[in-house]
Amino acid sequence: MCLSVPGMNVLGCKWVYKIKLKEDVTLERHTDRLVVQGYNQIGGVDYEETFSPVVKPSTIRCVLSLALNKKWPIRKLDVSNAFLHGDLNEDVYMMLPPGFVSIGILLIKSGVKRILLVYVEEIILVGSSDDVLSTFITSLSAAFAMKHLGSLSYFLGMEALFTYNTNSLLLTQNKYSLELLKKFDMLECKPCKTPIAPGQRDSISDGTVLKDSSTYRSLVGGLQYLAFTRPDISYDVNYVSQFMHKPTDIHLQLLKRILRYIKGSLRSGITLIRGNCTTITAYSDSDWDGCPYSRRSTTGYCVFLGDNLVSWSSKKQPTIDHSSTEAEYKALVVAASEVRWISYILDELGVPLTTPCLMYCANMGARSLASNPVCHARTKHIEVDYHFVRSLVMIGFLFVKYVHTLDRIANFFIKGLNKKLFFKLQGKLMHYQSVQFEGGCKRT
């Protein structure tokens, strides 16, 4: 029952119930959440713009790397009541709930003694000592209903495994991977050594259109979340995402191959190690004219904080490039933007960079374009915005260096690779030790 409000749209609501499990799959507690049916909102009536800011994955990895380097304790908190905050200037009306008679990043600093990472109701708390954290948790508990879950071991569906006397931290999604395989009936599938065939190129029209595309889209969404700790599937997930609007049976087979690869590498993940956190190294690459149908290039990059991989991306460029130099230069720009953003995060955390950021690029033309103003006259067709890379080089923030083709780590994010090169670059990206493949082979 609800009151009539002239000229307004009254939204419904519903209770969402969930069983929350511990990392060992035992019951932790039952949760409930009241959700407004926002899909019934009307633009201009009860919303102008809505958003739900959450902490970026790269920020989490940067903070965890910093905590390992400084030997800071890492704690996990859980808020009993979660609210999505945003600027609300409109009146929103909701019906009474049945049965009635995520935030972004918050840094709390005092000489960078405490860092609070918030993702809806789950919180990672990092501080300079156990006493500092205990005092702060007590203060938070006085203001919010929350639980202290001890040292970090499980967060956002990720297992956090400390090894070598907390000198390293392995982030995996083994439990989530198994749930994904079970959901799509692939638990008993035959493992595959690589997630995509070398040089894989498929058309939107290849194959027979699926009668129900919901399964395809759901699986792609699940894989996108899995890529949080799996840069080795980043390119492949980006590739299959390009067929979301009209998937075919051939595209579905591509997805199943990725699942087969996951089946054979369940324990894979990102390993963060204790070490230097005051240098940034990045690799950029582009597969010029890589798509035979749209003629657009794919941009790939990865960023290391010290020796730890903290950010990566694989994405098709929005426009067609005139040359390989232009494609590589645009990839350089995207990577430089991410490097600049990470430097701002480090500055907020009180960790100054000790040297210029090092950017590796495999294209000599793009490297010259970034550091030599004389080349500008020959590149007037490139948007002015892209030349901000040169400004970063001129102020000494960025140093662009050539990298040999065989060491192009960002090559991992722009195309399918053969097994030998795939495993070589995978090891450099993810600090692989010896991982046992369920299919019977080993990789190092």
Side-chain angles (χ1 to χ4, degrees), residues 8-19:
M8 295 304 297
N9 181 37
V10 181
L11 304 177
C13 62
K14 65 177 182 179
W15 290 103
V16 176
Y17 302 100
K18 184 178 180 181
I19 298 175

Side-chain angles (χ1 to χ4, degrees), residues 77 106 108 114-116 125-126 130-142 146:
L77 306 176
L106 172 62
I108 303 178
R114 298 168 302 228
I115 304 172
L116 194 68
L125 179 60
V126 175
D130 287 313
D131 290 340
V132 168
L133 294 187
S134 296
T135 302
F136 187 60
I137 291 172
T138 301
S139 300
L140 282 178
S141 299
M146 63 171 52

Side-chain angles (χ1 to χ4, degrees), residues 7-291:
M8 295 304 297
N9 181 37
V10 181
L11 304 177
C13 62
K14 65 177 182 179
W15 290 103
V16 176
Y17 302 100
K18 184 178 180 181
I19 298 175
K20 197 158 189 178
L21 303 176
K22 299 179 181 178
E23 57 270 24
D24 60 1
V25 200
T26 59
L27 177 65
E28 179 178 326
R29 68 179 185 278
H30 295 85
T31 64
D32 58 77
R33 183 174 298 168
L34 181 64
V35 179
V36 179
Q37 295 170 330
Y39 51 81
N40 289 324
Q41 288 179 279
I42 299 175
V45 175
D46 45 24
Y47 83 90
E48 293 295 336
E49 181 179 0
T50 59
F51 62 94
S52 176
V54 292
V55 62
K56 288 183 63 173
S58 54
T59 302
I60 295 176
R61 290 186 282 265
C62 285
V63 170
L64 293 179
S65 296
L66 178 62
L68 282 173
N69 179 53
K70 294 184 176 293
K71 300 182 180 180
W72 284 355
I74 309 173
R75 299 288 180 263
K76 165 74 181 299
L77 306 176
D78 191 281
V79 182
S80 299
N81 296 308
F83 300 93
L84 301 181
H85 288 200
D87 297 328
L88 186 63
N89 300 315
E90 304 82 21
D91 292 327
V92 178
Y93 291 85
M94 183 193 80
M95 298 180 183
L96 291 175
F100 185 86
V101 162
S102 214
I103 291 183
I105 177 171
L106 172 62
L107 302 179
I108 303 178
K109 301 166 55 179
S110 176
V112 193
K113 300 295 184 183
R114 298 168 302 228
I115 304 172
L116 194 68
L117 299 174
V118 183
Y119 198 107
V120 189
E121 77 273 17
E122 295 193 47
I123 298 174
I124 292 179
L125 179 60
V126 175
S128 55
S129 70
D130 287 313
D131 290 340
V132 168
L133 294 187
S134 296
T135 302
F136 187 60
I137 291 172
T138 301
S139 300
L140 282 178
S141 299
F144 302 98
M146 63 171 52
K147 293 182 180 180
H148 179 204
L149 303 179
S151 298
L152 180 66
S153 60
Y154 198 72
F155 181 72
L156 297 180
M158 293 182 296
E159 295 91 352
L161 307 173
F162 290 93
T163 57
Y164 307 114
N165 195 25
T166 70
N167 285 325
S168 67
L169 174 63
L170 174 63
L171 298 176
T172 70
Q173 291 170 282
N174 182 59
K175 176 176 173 290
Y176 179 76
S177 298
L178 288 171
E179 291 174 350
L180 206 58
L181 290 170
K182 181 179 180 181
K183 179 179 180 181
F184 295 98
D185 298 322
M186 296 288 285
L187 268 177
E188 304 301 324
C189 68
K190 182 180 179 181
C192 186
K193 296 179 181 178
T194 58
I196 196 170
Q200 183 83 45
R201 291 288 184 268
D202 295 277
S203 169
I204 295 176
S205 58
D206 288 343
T208 303
V209 177
L210 299 176
K211 294 182 179 180
D212 182 7
S213 60
S214 59
T215 298
Y216 184 93
R217 293 169 181 165
S218 176
L219 180 51
V220 171
L223 290 172
Q224 287 175 337
Y225 188 73
L226 181 60
F228 190 102
T229 62
R230 298 293 299 267
D232 49 342
I233 65 171
S234 181
Y235 167 75
D236 318 293
V237 175
N238 172 66
Y239 183 71
V240 295
S241 297
Q242 298 172 27
F243 309 112
M244 292 272 279
H245 61 292
K246 197 176 182 181
T248 68
D249 57 341
I250 291 180
H251 304 146
L252 184 60
Q253 290 304 313
L254 295 176
L255 276 179
K256 289 185 176 181
R257 174 166 178 153
I258 299 176
L259 288 178
R260 290 170 57 206
Y261 168 72
I262 292 169
K263 172 65 183 301
S265 55
L266 287 172
R267 289 171 288 174
S268 298
I270 288 292
T271 300
L272 304 178
I273 60 176
R274 178 173 296 165
N276 173 35
C277 283
T278 58
T279 62
I280 293 179
T281 305
Y283 295 79
S284 70
D285 209 342
S286 178
D287 184 21
W288 177 53
D289 197 30
C291 178

